[in-house]
Amino acid sequence: MREKQFAEMVFSLARKRGFDDCEVLIFNHREFEVVVSKGKIENYTDASSKRVTLKAVKDKRSSFATTEILDETSARFLVESAYENFMITDTLDEDDIWAERPAKEPFEYEDAFERLSVREKIELAKTMEEKCLSYDKRIQNVIMSAYGHQSSEVRLFNTKGLELAETFGYGAAFVYLVASDGKKPKRGFRAMYGSQPSDINVERVALEASSEAISQLGAQSIRSRKYKVLLRRDVFAQLFFAFSSIFSAEAVQKGLSPLKGKLHQKIAVESLNLIEDPFFEKLPIKRSFDNEGVPTTRKSFIDHGVLTTLFHSIKSARKDNVKPTGNVFNQRCVPLNVVLPEGSLDYESLIESVDEGLLVIAFDGLHSGVRPVSGEFSLGANGYRIAGGKIAEPVEQFTVSGNFLDVLNKIELIGSDCEIVSANWFGPSVVVSELDVAGG
Amino acid sequence: MLEVSLVERVINYGVSKGAEFVEIFVEDRFDTRITLIDGKIDSASSERDFGLGLRLFKDDQQVYAYTNDPTEKQLFTMVDRLIEVLQIRSAEPRIVNLTNLDVKNSHMIVLHPLEVSKMEKARIMKLAYEGAKNYSDLISQVVVRYWDYDQKVFIANSEGTMASDRRIKTRLMVTAVATKDGEQESGFYGPGASMGLEFFNFHDPRDIGAEAARIADRMVRAEYAPAGKMPVVIANEFGGVIFHEACGHALEATSVAKGASLFANKLNQKVAADCVTAVDDGTIPNAWGSSNIDDEGTLTQRNVLIENGVLKSYLVDRFHAKKMNTKPNGCGRRESYKYIPTSRMSNTFIAAGKYLPEEIISATDYGLYAKRMGGGSVHPATGEFNFAVMEGYLIEKGRIVKPVRGATLIGKGIDVINNIDMVGNDLARGQGMCGSISGSVPADVGQPTIRVKELIVGGRKR
């Protein structure tokens, strides 16, 4: 069944069921990934799938249902399930269906990775593995050498006459490996993201993952105390995303975020600017509207240390009497792309600025060692000790603890080593004046 | 879900093209998720997933494709594309006839979730809310999440096996937030089972809410945990996450087969302290991590992993079984048809020992008592693991003296299981979601109270 025809069938059933308005959101997803190990294809996935979500509103209350099949039975399932869900929903928070067309033209993503043949992509993954193994004989095991890409077409139809469509996607390569000197194995990881194959330099991925693992060999434990900490760009991004839910207005309204009462106040050092930019040229994913059909916008949500806005869905915006910010993705209200503008010092100068401290290159347990309601975290980490402005030796088996809002206030220096470190973060490394470290 | 004759044709087509192994996995699944915030049902959603995954092996290589439009034409095209990737040029003729695997259902369901009204589910959630809210004046917010699902799977492969299973799970998860002097802390409790709504005949929703609130209430009054190496007593039930992270993942064939595990090539060797016996058992009636068959159509079984400190077995899926020259033992799992299955844990626990939990604490001069654990993660190749302590206390001179918060425990797998020096007699299991390359799957972790001689506690106080 054609998508628009399906949406119209759902609308007609929903009207009969007594819903005031509704919206059908359809994702057509394409996924390709090849994982190579020891020169052989260990995992290979080539797939496409569909996902349809109904948001139905009655008496300003919304309810949801999702299916993966487009037929009349599914249309009935969506409407009947949404109706049952409506019957139990008793929140006083009002929701709505969006009517305004975005001013910006929808983005079109042409998946350039599809132009590479399957064989070429397999070869790229194999090349990466070979480059790692030939980098140093102590590279013992390339656990995964992967190359992949995904793209989605999103289509939105609603009873307020809005009909939108756009495509987005990205490609990525990553390597996860282990080096060993016969005593203790150490790991290396590197991923690279882009919107076309030329953005992804597999040789560099291999080189950086390999050199990281080798340089970690012989890692020592460290003493528990406070240290000045240089958070490498990817590590700072990971820490931010572990706490990104605290910027959701709904979390603040419900008392689930430490940012309650902090809007328009200084929450970070003056030198810190964080920009949510759904159109940022260098990042692969671009969106002109969010999953509620609301136009996305570029905004400095932390501007010279001041929290200027929270991320609003239609529902949370109504409650605060503001405009929704176009940040609803995957049923959460989160930033799509985050940009931390560069500071003045390059990476080497950041290291030189630290007389005695730690360089953190990996955090573990980011899903469990963080408490979004309080901002507290305690995370396993790996890195190097810095002494006299130079990297002294690799260190392991330590934890870094603190409070995320405290970290934002203790950023001393922001680097100029900006890079795309995940599909949705572009930024540099930062020096944090003091964090609690526990070691052996 | 799909005509058997079509499945047979597709498998035979793959075999005729030269695949060593062809597997079809079909899934039809309904999920219900309801969220209650601040005493009100905030959102409710229903979901139906339907799709098919096709997997082929040849010469130690594995390829996969999935679709939610499994027409005959689409399936044959998928086979052709995967054969092309494997670069298979020749085939020996062979005909596969499918026969049904006899699968007995060990997980009886009484109140089927799809037959219970959402009103009733909402009522249960409100009881949990009351249990949490009424626990203490410090409770400032309560979030209750209800989740059930009904997953039907059908698996057929070129070995001629055809098997079906239906997995029904119900879970209630409560997060309570306590606020005191401007500071907030949260507590979480989320039991579940392979049951329908009869689950709540065994677990009063008010008690589930109260437990989450109790943790938040204790922790908001707590000071920061100490930092550094010290003995750690880990309580029973969800405390078993330590074995799950520190050892369980490293015993999965996914890591072992490629030598990316510290337990590789150590079968029948001493790897842990004598007091450690650990089991993974996917057959436990109505347990959260159980199923009758795994997602590769193998009957689940009880696998003794470590017996009195000696490594007895790995967790082995089909693809890696061949590489390891052994048989799959019923642990090939996947989140959905969108994932390639691999070896995973189901219900994993350390077996009961001889000590009373109180004896373990009184035998500890100084250390941390981890009463409730949060989640964790591990790098099987290096053994480095971490997990969060959700509710902790300081032990001094054999007594629990005060609550402490904010600690993560880290260490290396082999060190930890060698450093377990006391095992209690109070075995219990807790429920969680385990994430790995084949997605997120329900898993029980479990243990009696244990003591680890030395672990790094990632607190703040020196």
Side-chain angles (χ1 to χ4, degrees), chain B residues 206-228:
Chain B
R206 280 168 289 224
D207 295 344
I208 298 172
E211 178 60 8
R214 187 190 62 74
I215 298 165
D217 177 78
R218 291 290 180 284
M219 288 302 101
V220 80
R221 301 164 195 267
E223 51 186 73
Y224 287 120

Side-chain angles (χ1 to χ4, degrees), chain B residues 312-331:
Chain B
K312 287 292 177 189
S313 175
Y314 298 116
L315 293 165
V316 189
D317 59 285
R318 263 176 204 279
F319 177 63
H320 293 103
K322 208 174 142 243
K323 288 191 172 187
M324 291 165 72
N325 200 18
T326 180
K327 283 194 171 140
N329 53 15
C331 60

Side-chain angles (χ1 to χ4, degrees), chain B residues 68-80:
Chain B
N68 37 40
D69 180 28
T71 56
E72 178 152 2
K73 187 171 164 236
Q74 168 74 3
L75 296 179
F76 278 76
T77 308
M78 281 160 65
V79 173
D80 283 335

Side-chain angles (χ1 to χ4, degrees), chain A residues 29-31 35 37-51 62-69 71 73-74 77-78 80-82 84-93 118-119 122 126 140-144 176 178 184-187 221 224-226 250 253-258 260 315 331 363-371 373-374 376-382 396-403 406 436-440, chain B residues 30-34 37-51 59-68 74 81-82 84-87 116-120 122 126 140-141 143 175 177 183-187 219 224 226-229 245 254 257-260 262 319-320 323 337-338 340 374-382 384-391 405-412 437 456-462:
Chain A
H29 187 67
R30 255 289 288 144
E31 177 193 1
V35 182
S37 179
K38 299 192 167 59
K40 294 199 164 189
I41 299 169
E42 189 173 69
N43 280 330
Y44 173 98
T45 305
D46 185 357
S48 50
S49 59
K50 187 184 280 296
R51 195 168 176 80
S62 56
S63 61
F64 299 85
T66 298
T67 182
E68 297 184 327
I69 308 165
D71 61 13
T73 314
S74 287
F77 166 77
L78 288 180
E80 290 309 312
S81 308
E84 280 180 49
N85 292 336
F86 161 77
M87 290 299 284
I88 60 163
T89 308
D90 56 2
T91 177
L92 301 174
D93 299 347
V118 164
R119 198 53 47 200
I122 294 170
K126 285 186 177 173
Q140 190 190 36
N141 205 334
V142 179
I143 297 171
M144 278 193 226
Y176 178 49
V178 173
K184 266 188 304 198
K186 295 303 298 179
R187 60 194 152 92
S221 55
S224 303
R225 69 173 185 84
K226 286 187 192 296
E250 190 178 328
Q253 289 167 356
K254 311 276 189 198
L256 298 170
S257 161
K260 191 164 192 159
K315 195 162 144 183
Q331 289 166 339
F363 273 144
D364 287 329
L366 282 151
H367 65 298
S368 55
V370 300
R371 295 292 187 106
V373 296
S374 58
E376 298 281 314
F377 64 88
S378 173
L379 298 164
N382 269 287
E396 63 163 17
Q397 289 289 291
F398 64 94
T399 64
V400 177
S401 307
N403 186 291
D406 241 16
D436 280 286
V437 171
Chain B
F30 289 91
D31 282 63
T32 299
R33 291 172 204 271
I34 310 171
I37 304 181
D38 216 3
K40 302 270 185 206
I41 300 294
D42 188 69
S43 68
S45 71
S46 309
E47 188 172 329
R48 185 191 178 187
D49 294 332
F50 177 77
D59 297 335
D60 286 341
Q61 304 202 91
Q62 167 171 250
V63 292
Y64 194 71
Y66 65 80
T67 178
N68 37 40
Q74 168 74 3
R81 287 176 71 167
L82 294 181
E84 177 64 32
V85 174
L86 290 170
Q87 294 185 303
V116 175
S117 74
K118 287 181 179 163
M119 286 293 186
E120 176 59 14
K126 290 190 175 174
S140 56
Q141 182 56 286
V143 180
T175 302
V177 180
E183 285 200 49
Q184 290 195 326
E185 265 295 336
S186 58
M219 288 302 101
Y224 287 120
K229 269 189 186 166
E245 299 300 353
T254 324
K258 51 174 102 163
L262 296 172
F319 177 63
H320 293 103
K323 288 191 172 187
Y337 70 90
K338 292 181 181 170
I340 303 172
S377 66
V378 65
H379 294 277
T382 59
E384 293 163 293
F385 67 82
N386 66 85
F387 45 80
V389 179
M390 189 161 62
E391 181 187 2
R405 65 168 141 165
T408 279
L409 304 181
I410 61 165
K412 291 191 180 177
I437 50 170
I456 294 173
V457 177
R460 298 210 202 169
K461 262 198 155 168
R462 283 158 301 276

Side-chain angles (χ1 to χ4, degrees), chain A residues 158-229:
Chain A
N158 72 30
T159 51
K160 292 201 171 173
L162 203 58
E163 190 177 327
L164 300 168
E166 78 185 340
T167 48
F168 59 95
Y170 66 94
F174 75 87
V175 164
Y176 178 49
L177 53 77
V178 173
S180 180
D181 53 6
K183 293 176 210 140
K184 266 188 304 198
K186 295 303 298 179
R187 60 194 152 92
F189 176 81
R190 177 78 167 103
M192 203 177 272
Y193 302 83
S195 51
Q196 46 198 338
S198 61
D199 294 338
I200 295 173
N201 181 340
V202 295
E203 300 198 356
R204 199 178 142 201
V205 173
L207 175 82
E208 293 187 1
S210 304
S211 62
E212 181 177 299
I214 294 292
S215 71
Q216 278 281 304
L217 289 172
Q220 305 292 311
S221 55
I222 48 166
R223 211 158 55 83
S224 303
R225 69 173 185 84
K226 286 187 192 296
Y227 286 89
K228 182 176 279 200
V229 176

Side-chain angles (χ1 to χ4, degrees), chain B residues 51-121:
Chain B
L52 177 146
L54 171 74
R55 181 162 70 137
L56 270 58
F57 298 167
K58 173 79 177 174
D59 297 335
D60 286 341
Q61 304 202 91
Q62 167 171 250
V63 292
Y64 194 71
Y66 65 80
T67 178
N68 37 40
D69 180 28
T71 56
E72 178 152 2
K73 187 171 164 236
Q74 168 74 3
L75 296 179
F76 278 76
T77 308
M78 281 160 65
V79 173
D80 283 335
R81 287 176 71 167
L82 294 181
I83 290 286
E84 177 64 32
V85 174
L86 290 170
Q87 294 185 303
I88 302 175
R89 304 276 177 252
S90 63
E92 284 171 30
R94 176 161 73 101
I95 299 288
V96 176
N97 293 306
L98 294 174
T99 43
N100 255 317
L101 180 72
D102 184 22
V103 181
K104 283 195 194 67
N105 181 24
S106 313
H107 316 289
M108 292 301 291
I109 302 298
V110 182
L111 296 167
H112 195 293
L114 287 176
E115 287 160 11
V116 175
S117 74
K118 287 181 179 163
M119 286 293 186
E120 176 59 14
K121 294 170 188 176

